[in-house]
């Protein structure tokens, strides 16, 4: 039995790696096809000769899923198609109604998906498998959500699935890992607040690998693939100070590579930062989101003051660690002055690497409803209206929308080179040329990638050349 995973974007998905690792433990064969890396995705899938095609999809890719799954069903009608990922947890019914989709995995699929593969191999119904929604006689059969995977030390993620098929991923000098699943906070712009409710009462939501297992996982990758630095991309890596206390000496002894990690600026303490610094952390990433405190607190439900951001950054910088921030533009109710204040706040706190996106509301969420009530979104807003990326455009009907988008494109350059800010903001307000501001964004992204990931000019160029396909 062979399962071929399909995704659009060019980076390893943790859910896919985890499930592939579990399937291989059961003696099954897995493969991967990345849409942006293939000249013809359908031909690549035909060449793979799978017994099951398994999509992993982001919500912004719903249109891509609909079109590709329908065409696959037309050209490969005997091959069942399943869909998983965060999108399938949030919108299982919307996915299952698609003509090309046979199964939806709603929940963490380490156990349920292996059961589904076994049922398909034996030509049995998926009835009774928690988290597997399916079609039967033209009806949508909705079952209970899949159980939460409690023991993250029970498997290793299958990175060879990606690195063996697409060596350019394995050759990237920076490798990404996750030590935990789940986040305790309920920011309105994040899927976590909705997933937490779906999983309520189904087991411990915030789970973590043991420091020993996590370090062993890193060692296995570093021993086989070229690696000069790491990114720990947990929702909140610097969360449990006791876990860090155990991780610190073990990582320093066994791995000892520089890394970037995630944190929340109102939670981090001097003790957290001391352990991070001692183990080789060179940058901490956290969300600023916007320079406007009211927008951050009232609209985004992220209850962090600007004062607390300054205090947290002070703790981080005192230890000699750099700062990466996440920021959004084109927020509901955002003005041009608000957008500029986001840049000003980042300059004031000494942000080293400013990551920016364009705000994108997801259908049937409280934020999408807020935008519709304010007349910023059309009443029948759906997945068909969502752009393919969080970079290029906004779906909201905003005053000065073009100026806000221009400010987004020049934001990192303003922060990295503060003396350029007056000029860049001036032309952002006065000049109408999307191509020009896309070039500004590409230049700023090139600088940020090279510096935060500690890459050479050549490796940065190669990475961004591939990354462009997903824009």
């Amino acid at each position: 039995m062979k399962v071929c995973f399909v995704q659009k974007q060019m980076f390893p998905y943790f859910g896919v790696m985890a499930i592939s690792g579990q399937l291989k433990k059961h003696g099954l064969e897995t493969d991967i096809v990345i849409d942006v890396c293939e000249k013809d995705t359908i031909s690549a899938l035909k060449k793979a000769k799978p017994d099951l095609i398994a999509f992993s999809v982001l919500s912004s890719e719903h249109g891509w899923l609909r079109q590709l799954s329908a065409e696959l069903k037309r050209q490969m009608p005997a091959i069942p198609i399943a869909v998983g990922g965060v999108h399938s947890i949030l919108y299982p019914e919307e996915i299952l109604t698609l003509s090309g989709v046979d199964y939806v995995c709603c929940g963490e699929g380490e156990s349920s998906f292996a059961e589904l593969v076994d049922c398909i191999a034996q030509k049995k119904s998926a009835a009774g498998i928690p988290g597997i929604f399916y079609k039967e006689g033209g009806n949508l059969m909705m079952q209970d959500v899949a159980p939460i995977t409690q023991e993250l030390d029970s498997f290793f993620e299958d990175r060879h699935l990606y690195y063996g098929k697409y060596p350019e991923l394995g050759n990237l000098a920076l490798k990404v890992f996750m030590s935990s699943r789940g986040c305790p906070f309920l920011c309105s712009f994040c899927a976590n607040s909705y997933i937490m409710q779906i999983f309520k009462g189904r087991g411990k939501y915030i789970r973590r690998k043991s420091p020993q297992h996590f370090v062993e996982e890193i060692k296995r990758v570093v021993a086989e693939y070229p690696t000069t630095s790491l990114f720990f991309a947990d929702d909140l890596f610097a969360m449990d100070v006791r876990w860090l206390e155990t991780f610190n000496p073990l990582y320093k002894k066994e791995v000892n590579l520089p890394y970037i990690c995630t944190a929340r600026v109102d939670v981090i303490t001097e003790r957290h930062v001391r352990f991070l610094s001692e183990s080789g952390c060179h940058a901490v990433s956290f969300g600023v989101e916007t320079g406007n405190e009211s927008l951050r607190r009232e609209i985004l439900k992220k209850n962090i003051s600007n004062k607390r951001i300054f205090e947290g950054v002070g703790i981080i910088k005192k230890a000699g660690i750099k700062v990466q921030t996440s920021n959004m533009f084109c927020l509901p109710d955002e003005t041009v002055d608000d957008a500029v204040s986001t840049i000003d706040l980042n300059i004031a706190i000494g942000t080293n690497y400013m990551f920016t996106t364009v705000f994108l509301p997801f259908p049937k969420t409280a934020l999408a409803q807020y935008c519709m009530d304010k007349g910023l979104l059309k009443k029948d807003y759906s997945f068909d209206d969502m752009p393919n990326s969080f970079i290029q455009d906004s779906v909201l009907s905003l005053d000065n929308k073009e100026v806000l988008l221009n400010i987004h494109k020049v934001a990192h350059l303003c922060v990295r080179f503060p003396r350029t800010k007056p000029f860049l903001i001036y032309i952002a307000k006065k000049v109408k040329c999307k191509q020009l501001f896309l070039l500004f964004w590409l230049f700023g992204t090139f600088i940020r990638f090279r510096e935060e990931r500690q890459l050479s000019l050549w490796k940065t160029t190669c990475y961004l050349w591939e990354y462009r396909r997903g824009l």
Side-chain angles (χ1 to χ4, degrees):
M1 184 76 177
K2 182 177 182 180
V3 178
C4 188
F5 296 95
V6 190
Q7 65 186 62
K8 186 174 183 181
Q9 302 300 336
M10 187 192 163
F11 53 87
Y13 288 7
F14 286 97
V16 170
M17 291 190 291
I19 292 173
S20 178
Q22 290 285 56
L23 294 177
K24 286 183 176 179
K25 280 174 63 175
H26 288 81
L28 301 170
E29 184 181 359
T30 62
D31 199 351
I32 183 74
V33 170
I34 300 178
D35 184 68
V36 298
C37 296
E38 300 290 345
K39 291 182 180 179
D40 185 336
T41 298
I42 292 177
S43 295
L45 283 164
K46 287 180 177 178
K47 185 178 178 180
K49 298 181 180 178
D51 299 296
L52 170 64
I53 295 172
F55 280 84
S56 187
V57 184
L58 306 177
S59 292
S60 58
E61 298 164 354
H62 188 87
W64 169 77
L65 168 66
R66 181 182 61 248
Q67 295 171 8
L68 183 54
S69 62
E71 187 59 25
L72 284 169
K73 188 59 67 178
R74 188 182 72 81
Q75 295 195 33
M76 304 171 68
I79 309 301
I81 294 175
V83 180
V86 174
H87 184 49
S88 69
I89 298 174
L90 298 174
Y91 305 102
E93 188 170 353
E94 287 83 350
I95 296 172
L96 196 56
T97 58
L98 299 178
S99 62
V101 175
D102 302 298
Y103 303 96
V104 172
C105 182
C106 182
E108 296 182 353
E110 279 85 3
S111 60
S112 294
F113 197 75
E115 287 187 59
L116 172 63
V117 173
D118 185 57
C119 283
I120 291 172
Q122 298 183 46
K123 303 187 184 307
K124 293 182 178 178
S125 168
I129 305 177
I132 301 299
F133 300 176
Y134 62 102
K135 293 173 181 173
E136 188 174 274
N139 297 315
L140 306 185
M141 310 302 290
M142 315 297 280
Q143 306 192 102
D144 199 8
V145 176
I148 296 176
T149 304
Q150 293 294 317
E151 186 49 70
L152 301 187
D153 282 3
S154 64
F155 60 89
F156 287 102
E157 291 151 358
D158 177 23
R159 290 171 183 269
H160 185 71
L161 174 73
Y162 287 93
Y163 298 167
K165 181 73 172 284
Y166 300 101
E168 59 268 38
L169 291 176
N171 291 332
L172 287 174
L174 181 139
K175 300 293 190 299
V176 184
F177 292 85
M178 286 183 69
S179 71
S180 64
R181 295 184 185 179
C183 173
F185 296 99
L186 299 172
C187 305
S188 64
F189 58 90
C190 179
N192 176 72
S193 59
Y194 298 94
I195 295 173
M196 188 184 291
Q197 289 302 311
I198 292 169
F199 286 159
K200 188 175 182 180
R202 301 177 188 278
K204 187 178 180 181
Y205 181 63
I206 300 170
R207 296 138 290 150
R208 197 160 204 175
K209 300 168 185 175
S210 68
Q212 295 80 4
H213 183 86
F214 188 50
V215 168
E216 178 60 29
E217 184 176 65
I218 297 168
K219 285 171 58 182
R220 292 184 179 199
V221 175
V222 171
E224 192 171 354
Y225 301 99
T227 307
T228 59
S229 63
L230 308 172
F231 178 33
F232 299 149
D234 305 47
D235 289 321
L236 289 176
F237 179 81
M239 178 169 52
D240 183 347
V241 74
R242 289 176 297 179
W243 188 94
L244 290 174
E245 187 173 10
T246 304
F247 170 79
N248 181 359
L250 193 61
Y251 178 84
K252 190 71 175 175
K253 178 183 177 182
E254 302 288 340
V255 181
N256 198 30
L257 287 173
Y259 67 88
I260 305 170
C261 74
T262 56
R264 183 159 156 134
V265 74
D266 61 332
V267 172
I268 202 161
T269 65
E270 290 186 357
R271 195 174 175 209
H272 285 103
V273 171
R274 176 166 61 84
F275 288 134
L276 295 177
S277 177
E278 289 176 355
S279 59
C281 175
H282 71 88
V284 169
S285 175
F286 62 87
V288 165
E289 319 311 348
T290 173
N292 184 315
E293 244 182 65
S294 295
L295 283 177
R296 189 186 308 123
R297 286 178 157 173
E298 296 169 18
I299 304 299
L300 303 180
K301 306 302 180 187
K302 191 162 190 169
N303 192 26
I304 303 177
S305 67
N306 287 353
K307 180 177 181 290
R308 188 65 186 89
I309 290 174
F310 274 96
E311 291 171 350
V313 171
I315 293 171
I316 295 167
K317 292 258 182 181
K318 184 179 178 181
I321 298 175
K322 294 183 178 179
V323 167
Q324 181 204 65
T325 64
S326 298
N327 307 265
M328 289 183 285
F329 291 85
C330 296
L331 293 163
D333 302 333
E334 184 180 44
T335 65
V336 170
D337 287 344
D338 292 332
V340 175
S341 77
T342 302
I343 293 173
D344 289 339
L345 178 58
N346 277 274
I347 292 173
I349 64 176
T351 295
N352 301 97
Y353 319 118
M354 185 185 187
F355 176 72
T356 65
T357 61
V358 174
F359 169 72
L360 180 60
F362 293 96
K364 300 184 179 180
T365 62
L367 264 183
Q369 188 60 52
Y370 176 85
C371 291
M372 287 188 277
D373 292 343
K374 298 276 288 189
L376 303 175
L377 275 179
K378 61 182 187 177
K379 294 296 184 182
D380 59 348
Y381 176 68
S382 70
F383 295 110
D384 293 331
D385 302 303
M386 296 177 72
N388 292 325
S389 85
F390 296 81
I391 301 300
Q392 302 228 31
D393 204 355
S394 169
V395 295
L396 301 188
S397 299
L398 298 166
D399 293 335
N400 298 307
K401 176 173 162 178
E402 187 172 357
V403 174
L404 294 172
L405 288 168
N406 291 347
I407 292 173
H408 160 254
K409 302 298 186 296
V410 301
H412 178 66
L413 290 175
C414 290
V415 172
R416 180 64 180 80
F417 308 105
R419 290 185 179 180
T420 68
K421 181 204 154 193
F423 170 71
L424 291 174
I425 296 301
Y426 176 81
I427 63 172
K429 293 177 179 179
K430 299 295 183 182
V431 176
K432 295 184 178 182
C433 181
K434 288 185 178 181
Q435 292 79 4
L436 172 65
F437 289 99
L438 182 58
L439 287 174
F440 279 128
W441 179 82
L442 287 170
F443 181 53
T445 300
F446 182 91
I447 293 171
R448 179 176 62 80
F449 262 66
R450 184 182 177 220
E451 293 179 345
E452 75 182 8
R453 299 176 184 232
Q454 301 182 336
L455 302 175
S456 67
L457 284 170
W458 174 246
K459 286 186 179 295
T460 305
T461 302
C462 291
Y463 186 88
L464 289 178
W465 179 253
E466 296 294 341
Y467 178 74
R468 84 196 192 284
R469 302 184 197 180
L471 297 179

